[in-house]
Amino acid sequence: MAVLINDECIACGACEAECPNNAIYEADKPWVMGGVEYPSLNDTHTYIAPEKCTECVGFFDEPQCIPACPTEAIVMDPDKQETKEQLMAKKEKLDQVGR
Ligand code: SF4
C-alpha cells in the first residue's frame, strides 16, 4: 500500500466508486478479498485495504481516489512504498483470487 486515507476523511464515499480494485471500505465494514472477509481496519472513517491497493497500477497512470476526495484526505504513505513490479504482482494476484 502506498495510499492511505487520513483523519480529514468525512466519509462521503466519493472515492469508493473510483477504485478498480474494490480496495476502499466504509468504517467498521470488513474488507473482502477472494470471497474471504477480514476485520475492518478503521472504525471512524473510510479506509483502504493495503493488500488490495495497487496505486491503480494495471488500470490507470495515477491513483484515481486521490482527486476524487473533496477534503484531500487521501495521500501517499511514505512508510509503505512499493515498486511498480510489486504493485503489478498484487494486481495479478487480485485478478486470480477475485476482488
Ligand atoms: Fe484503489 Fe487506486 Fe485508490 Fe489504491 S490508489 S485505493 S487501487 S483507487
Side-chain angles (χ1 to χ4, degrees):
M1 164 186 154
V3 177
L4 62 81
I5 299 178
N6 65 29
D7 290 342
E8 299 298 316
C9 175
I10 57 170
C12 67
C15 55
E16 288 178 47
E18 303 299 325
C19 181
N21 286 314
N22 294 330
I24 305 177
Y25 293 89
E26 287 175 36
D28 257 345
K29 293 252 173 87
W31 63 278
V32 180
M33 186 167 69
V36 179
E37 285 192 0
Y38 299 90
S40 168
L41 301 176
N42 197 298
D43 59 6
T44 56
H45 61 67
T46 308
Y47 70 94
I48 294 172
E51 293 295 317
K52 298 179 74 179
C53 174
T54 66
E55 298 175 35
C56 289
V57 165
F59 295 96
F60 303 102
D61 292 338
E62 302 286 340
Q64 299 297 290
C65 53
I66 291 176
C69 180
T71 62
E72 299 182 4
I74 308 179
V75 295
M76 304 303 282
D77 183 348
D79 295 331
K80 292 183 178 156
Q81 295 190 8
E82 293 164 296
T83 66
K84 218 156 204 153
E85 289 72 26
Q86 289 172 314
L87 293 165
M88 185 56 86
K90 200 189 280 188
K91 188 254 182 197
E92 287 166 358
K93 178 183 174 187
L94 289 168
D95 287 344
Q96 290 174 358
V97 301
R99 293 176 168 80

